[in-house]
Amino acid sequence: MSRIDPEFASEIKKYGAKDFNACFNCGNCTAVCGLTDKSVNYPRIFLRYGMLGLKEEILQSKEIWLCYACGECSETCPRQAGPGDYMAALRRYAIASYEPTGLTKLIFKSKPVFILFTISLSVLLGFFLFTLKPDHEVSRWLFTIIPYAVIHNLGLIIFSITGISVVWGLITMFLKLSKNIVKTDNPKRNTLKSLKEVMNELATMNRYQTCDKEEDSFWKNKPAAVQPWFVHWSIMWGFIGLLLATVLDFMLKDPATDIWWPSRILGTVAGLLLVYGTSLAINYRLKKVTKAYSETRLADWMFLLFLWIAGITGFWLEVSVALNADYLVNHIVLLIHTIISMELVLLFAFSKFAHVVYRPLALFFYFNNGNSN
Ligand code: SF4
Ligand code: SF4
């Protein structure tokens, strides 16, 4: 057992956990969670870990990533200890602990730092974008104040820090989860089969679907297209599709002005998915349709809004390119679109976005431990 940290209970509250100390260990939350089984037992045990300050047990666990934040456990908790929110706070805590710079800690714990950082990054990215067009009048004015090389190299350094932080975070998590495997897990493993199961889960969200189909779930009789698992699926595949379309455009060095160009079709479909998913997610959070959507932190709002703005501005640009319209407003929209998209990429390692790489790794450990969908 790892060392006890007496400060952990107050620390985790800064990441969004509420009154989790109110838990009296009844086990209702674990009983109601459709994703627990004999080999993965949560959320109750993690509330105990939190109260005892066993932070290494938490950081070495795959379970915090297997939770899909459906909120069912919080609905049924007799003590309003908010086990669902607590699990989300643990994931934020893990993201902040895995990455090496300490930036995520600041961003998650302080709203003013988060706002200041996001705005400063936007301004810096705006400058960086002008350096890509050195003959532009704004660039010429800018370079009289700050030399071209300084802005350009700063941009490259920031992008490199993000990349290194993602890889560092993944390796740290892998090592921590591996420690846990030695102690508790089944030694009979099949890597290829586990990878296939991870891909299957990402493609189908089978486990997430289980939450929405639970007998007492608010979503049980709602159409699949509006259920949270599909909203999450749309956002995830929409973003991946857009990233792929951008890379293809860049590699083929083609402006792809024809809307029937393959990368453009991919971008359109992916953009529709992204805007659809983020619009529903924002709507659910505004209306607080269930407990899971009743508490939204500033970082989560920013994340959703950034994705939504990236999608909407992308469509604006698509229409203006198709119409061959060259207005000042289009240039402004292009600047906003590029800044928001780059900011999303740059904040990848330091925001909720990082779950995109951490959850598949946790799923891999889960499947590789003899579990299956
Ligand atoms: S249902 Fe509430 S009180 Fe019961 S174990 Fe879970 S968090 Fe604790
Ligand atoms: S939020 Fe949902 S998936 Fe997560 S622990 Fe609670 S019931 Fe389980």
Side-chain angles (χ1 to χ4, degrees):
M1 190 163 281
S2 61
R3 275 182 36 212
I4 288 173
D5 179 357
E7 301 301 319
F8 183 79
S10 57
E11 175 76 357
I12 199 65
K13 288 187 178 170
K14 295 176 190 157
Y15 289 87
K18 291 282 175 331
D19 196 14
F20 76 97
N21 318 58
C23 167
F24 64 176
N25 210 15
C26 69
N28 269 4
C29 50
T30 302
V32 84
C33 177
L35 298 180
T36 54
D37 55 45
K38 60 182 183 330
S39 66
V40 283
N41 181 5
Y42 56 90
R44 187 194 62 86
I45 187 76
F46 286 89
L47 283 105
R48 299 302 297 163
Y49 287 161
M51 284 184 225
L52 294 170
L54 296 173
K55 64 178 186 189
E56 267 310 299
E57 256 74 4
I58 289 164
L59 293 176
Q60 289 175 7
S61 75
K62 56 188 175 302
E63 284 80 358
I64 58 172
W65 301 98
L66 301 180
C67 157
Y68 274 111
C70 70
E72 284 292 307
C73 52
S74 297
E75 300 271 5
T76 54
C77 174
R79 301 278 292 167
Q80 277 81 49
D85 292 335
Y86 173 74
M87 292 294 275
L90 292 186
R91 287 189 288 277
R92 288 185 204 107
Y93 177 74
I95 293 171
S97 304
Y98 293 153
E99 69 88 3
T101 66
L103 183 60
T104 319
K105 286 192 174 95
L106 289 174
I107 286 178
F108 277 147
K109 290 202 288 196
S110 164
K111 277 186 202 170
V113 170
F114 179 55
I115 293 169
L116 195 71
F117 180 77
T118 314
I119 293 172
S120 314
L121 193 57
S122 301
V123 173
L124 193 68
L125 281 170
F127 283 173
F128 181 67
L129 288 172
F130 276 115
T131 67
L132 300 178
K133 291 183 176 178
D135 293 332
H136 194 282
E137 57 187 296
V138 178
S139 302
R140 285 200 299 274
W141 164 78
L142 188 62
F143 299 150
T144 58
I145 305 168
I146 314 171
Y148 169 90
V150 172
I151 299 174
H152 203 70
N153 291 340
L154 202 58
L156 293 177
I157 289 169
I158 292 172
F159 271 100
S160 307
I161 291 173
T162 298
I164 293 167
S165 299
V166 174
V167 176
W168 184 291
L170 264 177
I171 294 173
T172 306
M173 180 180 171
F174 180 85
L175 295 175
K176 285 192 183 293
L177 265 57
S178 300
K179 272 190 197 168
N180 214 5
I181 235 178
V182 175
K183 283 188 274 184
T184 60
D185 288 355
N186 182 352
K188 287 183 193 156
R189 296 186 285 271
N190 181 333
T191 304
L192 224 71
K193 188 164 170 272
S194 305
L195 282 174
K196 252 174 75 181
E197 296 210 60
V198 173
M199 293 310 293
N200 181 44
E201 172 60 17
L202 296 181
T204 63
M205 301 258 145
N206 261 337
R207 288 172 51 76
Y208 203 159
Q209 288 195 48
T210 309
C211 296
D212 296 342
K213 287 177 186 154
E214 288 285 302
E215 206 42 57
D216 48 0
S217 168
F218 171 83
W219 303 101
K220 188 175 183 322
N221 295 317
K222 304 268 188 297
V226 300
Q227 291 183 356
W229 77 266
F230 189 73
V231 170
H232 188 263
W233 185 93
S234 307
I235 295 173
M236 181 182 81
W237 285 107
F239 187 81
I240 293 173
L242 280 175
L243 209 59
L244 206 62
T246 309
V247 171
L248 280 176
D249 267 356
F250 182 74
M251 278 169 53
L252 300 173
K253 302 272 182 235
D254 194 300
T257 47
D258 178 359
I259 57 165
W260 301 115
W261 185 259
S263 63
R264 183 49 59 95
I265 294 175
L266 174 65
T268 305
V269 174
L272 282 172
L273 277 177
L274 184 75
V275 172
Y276 174 77
T278 47
S279 299
L280 280 189
I282 290 170
N283 184 36
Y284 292 167
R285 284 176 191 277
L286 285 173
K287 292 186 176 161
K288 303 182 188 245
V289 286
T290 62
K291 198 113 181 161
Y293 291 106
S294 63
E295 292 283 342
T296 306
R297 288 173 70 81
L298 179 68
D300 295 338
W301 277 123
M302 293 288 269
F303 177 60
L304 273 176
L305 280 174
F306 273 25
L307 286 173
W308 187 80
I309 293 171
I312 292 288
T313 48
F315 276 116
W316 177 297
L317 294 170
E318 181 153 33
V319 172
S320 62
V321 168
L323 298 178
N324 213 7
D326 185 25
Y327 302 119
L328 175 66
V329 68
N330 294 344
H331 293 282
I332 295 169
V333 172
L334 174 63
L335 194 65
I336 294 171
H337 178 78
T338 317
I339 288 176
I340 292 276
S341 304
M342 287 171 92
E343 194 147 356
L344 276 168
V345 173
L346 284 174
L347 286 174
F348 187 93
F350 316 107
S351 65
K352 181 183 176 173
F353 217 175
H355 81 277
V356 171
V357 289
Y358 294 143
R359 179 167 282 145
L361 184 58
L363 281 168
F364 174 78
F365 274 81
Y366 172 70
F367 291 126
N368 211 27
N369 189 30
N371 300 291
S372 57
N373 256 331

Short mmCIF file of all heavy atoms in Angstrom, two decimals, residues 20 22-30 43-44 47 51 73 76-83, ligand 1:
data_model
loop_
_atom_site.label_atom_id
_atom_site.label_comp_id
_atom_site.label_asym_id
_atom_site.label_seq_id
_atom_site.Cartn_x
_atom_site.Cartn_y
_atom_site.Cartn_z
N PHE A 20 -17.48 14.53 -0.92
CA PHE A 20 -17.35 13.06 -0.99
C PHE A 20 -17.09 12.42 0.39
O PHE A 20 -17.34 11.25 0.59
CB PHE A 20 -16.26 12.66 -2.00
CG PHE A 20 -14.86 12.85 -1.53
CD1 PHE A 20 -14.16 11.79 -0.99
CD2 PHE A 20 -14.25 14.08 -1.63
CE1 PHE A 20 -12.87 11.95 -0.54
CE2 PHE A 20 -12.95 14.25 -1.19
CZ PHE A 20 -12.26 13.19 -0.64
N ALA A 22 -18.85 12.74 2.80
CA ALA A 22 -20.15 12.39 3.39
C ALA A 22 -20.47 10.91 3.18
O ALA A 22 -21.39 10.37 3.79
CB ALA A 22 -21.24 13.25 2.77
N CYS A 23 -19.73 10.27 2.29
CA CYS A 23 -19.98 8.85 1.96
C CYS A 23 -19.91 8.00 3.24
O CYS A 23 -18.99 8.13 4.03
CB CYS A 23 -18.92 8.39 0.96
SG CYS A 23 -18.86 6.61 0.75
N PHE A 24 -20.92 7.15 3.43
CA PHE A 24 -20.87 6.25 4.59
C PHE A 24 -20.73 4.79 4.14
O PHE A 24 -21.12 3.87 4.86
CB PHE A 24 -22.01 6.48 5.56
CG PHE A 24 -23.41 6.20 5.02
CD1 PHE A 24 -24.50 6.30 5.86
CD2 PHE A 24 -23.63 5.83 3.70
CE1 PHE A 24 -25.79 6.04 5.40
CE2 PHE A 24 -24.90 5.58 3.23
CZ PHE A 24 -25.99 5.71 4.07
N ASN A 25 -20.23 4.64 2.91
CA ASN A 25 -19.76 3.33 2.48
C ASN A 25 -20.87 2.29 2.29
O ASN A 25 -20.63 1.10 2.50
CB ASN A 25 -18.74 2.83 3.53
CG ASN A 25 -17.70 1.94 2.90
OD1 ASN A 25 -17.57 1.90 1.67
ND2 ASN A 25 -16.96 1.20 3.72
N CYS A 26 -22.06 2.75 1.86
CA CYS A 26 -23.17 1.80 1.74
C CYS A 26 -23.03 0.89 0.52
O CYS A 26 -23.59 -0.20 0.49
CB CYS A 26 -24.50 2.56 1.67
SG CYS A 26 -24.70 3.50 0.13
N GLY A 27 -22.34 1.38 -0.51
CA GLY A 27 -22.13 0.55 -1.70
C GLY A 27 -23.20 0.67 -2.77
O GLY A 27 -23.12 0.02 -3.81
N ASN A 28 -24.21 1.53 -2.56
CA ASN A 28 -25.27 1.72 -3.57
C ASN A 28 -24.69 2.10 -4.92
O ASN A 28 -25.13 1.64 -5.96
CB ASN A 28 -26.20 2.87 -3.14
CG ASN A 28 -27.37 2.36 -2.33
OD1 ASN A 28 -27.45 1.18 -2.04
ND2 ASN A 28 -28.26 3.28 -1.96
N CYS A 29 -23.71 3.00 -4.89
CA CYS A 29 -23.16 3.53 -6.14
C CYS A 29 -22.54 2.41 -6.97
O CYS A 29 -22.73 2.34 -8.19
CB CYS A 29 -22.15 4.63 -5.85
SG CYS A 29 -20.90 4.20 -4.64
N THR A 30 -21.80 1.52 -6.31
CA THR A 30 -21.17 0.42 -7.04
C THR A 30 -22.23 -0.55 -7.54
O THR A 30 -22.13 -1.06 -8.66
CB THR A 30 -20.16 -0.29 -6.12
OG1 THR A 30 -19.20 0.67 -5.68
CG2 THR A 30 -19.43 -1.41 -6.83
N PRO A 43 -17.66 3.05 -8.04
CA PRO A 43 -16.77 4.10 -7.53
C PRO A 43 -16.51 4.02 -6.01
O PRO A 43 -15.64 4.73 -5.52
CB PRO A 43 -17.53 5.38 -7.86
CG PRO A 43 -18.97 4.99 -7.81
CD PRO A 43 -19.06 3.56 -8.25
N ARG A 44 -17.27 3.19 -5.25
CA ARG A 44 -17.17 3.25 -3.79
C ARG A 44 -15.74 3.16 -3.28
O ARG A 44 -15.30 3.99 -2.48
CB ARG A 44 -17.99 2.11 -3.16
CG ARG A 44 -18.08 2.18 -1.64
CD ARG A 44 -18.59 0.87 -1.06
NE ARG A 44 -17.68 -0.24 -1.36
CZ ARG A 44 -16.63 -0.56 -0.65
NH1 ARG A 44 -16.33 0.13 0.43
NH2 ARG A 44 -15.84 -1.56 -1.00
N LEU A 47 -13.78 6.32 -3.30
CA LEU A 47 -14.10 7.31 -2.26
C LEU A 47 -13.35 6.96 -0.99
O LEU A 47 -12.87 7.84 -0.28
CB LEU A 47 -15.61 7.36 -2.01
CG LEU A 47 -16.36 8.13 -3.11
CD1 LEU A 47 -17.10 7.22 -4.03
CD2 LEU A 47 -17.29 9.17 -2.52
N MET A 51 -10.60 9.33 0.93
CA MET A 51 -10.68 9.70 2.35
C MET A 51 -9.41 9.30 3.08
O MET A 51 -8.98 9.97 4.02
CB MET A 51 -11.88 8.99 2.98
CG MET A 51 -13.20 9.62 2.61
SD MET A 51 -14.50 8.79 3.50
CE MET A 51 -15.68 8.57 2.25
N CYS A 73 -24.72 6.84 -10.47
CA CYS A 73 -24.34 6.62 -9.07
C CYS A 73 -24.68 7.84 -8.21
O CYS A 73 -25.16 7.70 -7.08
CB CYS A 73 -22.85 6.28 -8.97
SG CYS A 73 -21.79 7.44 -9.82
N THR A 76 -28.32 8.07 -7.16
CA THR A 76 -28.83 7.13 -6.15
C THR A 76 -28.09 7.23 -4.81
O THR A 76 -28.46 6.53 -3.87
CB THR A 76 -28.71 5.68 -6.65
OG1 THR A 76 -27.36 5.47 -7.02
CG2 THR A 76 -29.62 5.38 -7.80
N CYS A 77 -27.10 8.07 -4.71
CA CYS A 77 -26.33 8.15 -3.46
C CYS A 77 -27.21 8.76 -2.35
O CYS A 77 -27.66 9.89 -2.47
CB CYS A 77 -25.09 9.01 -3.67
SG CYS A 77 -24.21 9.30 -2.12
N PRO A 78 -27.41 8.05 -1.26
CA PRO A 78 -28.27 8.57 -0.19
C PRO A 78 -27.63 9.72 0.59
O PRO A 78 -28.31 10.42 1.34
CB PRO A 78 -28.47 7.36 0.72
CG PRO A 78 -27.31 6.48 0.47
CD PRO A 78 -26.89 6.71 -0.95
N ARG A 79 -26.33 9.93 0.41
CA ARG A 79 -25.63 10.97 1.17
C ARG A 79 -25.23 12.18 0.30
O ARG A 79 -24.49 13.05 0.75
CB ARG A 79 -24.36 10.38 1.80
CG ARG A 79 -24.63 9.21 2.73
CD ARG A 79 -25.04 9.67 4.10
NE ARG A 79 -23.92 10.33 4.77
CZ ARG A 79 -24.03 11.06 5.88
NH1 ARG A 79 -25.22 11.25 6.41
NH2 ARG A 79 -22.98 11.59 6.44
N GLN A 80 -25.67 12.17 -0.95
CA GLN A 80 -25.29 13.24 -1.89
C GLN A 80 -23.78 13.48 -1.90
O GLN A 80 -23.30 14.61 -1.89
CB GLN A 80 -26.00 14.56 -1.57
CG GLN A 80 -27.40 14.67 -2.13
CD GLN A 80 -28.40 13.95 -1.25
OE1 GLN A 80 -28.42 14.14 -0.04
NE2 GLN A 80 -29.21 13.08 -1.83
N ALA A 81 -23.06 12.36 -1.90
CA ALA A 81 -21.59 12.47 -1.89
C ALA A 81 -21.05 12.71 -3.31
O ALA A 81 -19.84 12.95 -3.48
CB ALA A 81 -20.98 11.21 -1.31
N GLY A 82 -21.92 12.61 -4.33
CA GLY A 82 -21.51 12.89 -5.71
C GLY A 82 -20.41 11.97 -6.22
O GLY A 82 -19.39 12.47 -6.74
N PRO A 83 -20.60 10.64 -6.15
CA PRO A 83 -19.53 9.75 -6.61
C PRO A 83 -19.17 9.92 -8.09
O PRO A 83 -18.01 9.77 -8.46
CB PRO A 83 -20.09 8.34 -6.34
CG PRO A 83 -21.55 8.51 -6.11
CD PRO A 83 -21.75 9.88 -5.58
S1 SF4 B 1 -23.83 5.50 -2.65
FE1 SF4 B 1 -22.97 7.36 -1.71
S2 SF4 B 1 -22.79 6.87 0.46
FE2 SF4 B 1 -23.08 4.93 -0.60
S3 SF4 B 1 -20.97 4.18 -0.97
FE3 SF4 B 1 -21.59 5.33 -2.78
S4 SF4 B 1 -20.84 7.40 -2.43
FE4 SF4 B 1 -20.84 6.36 -0.45
#
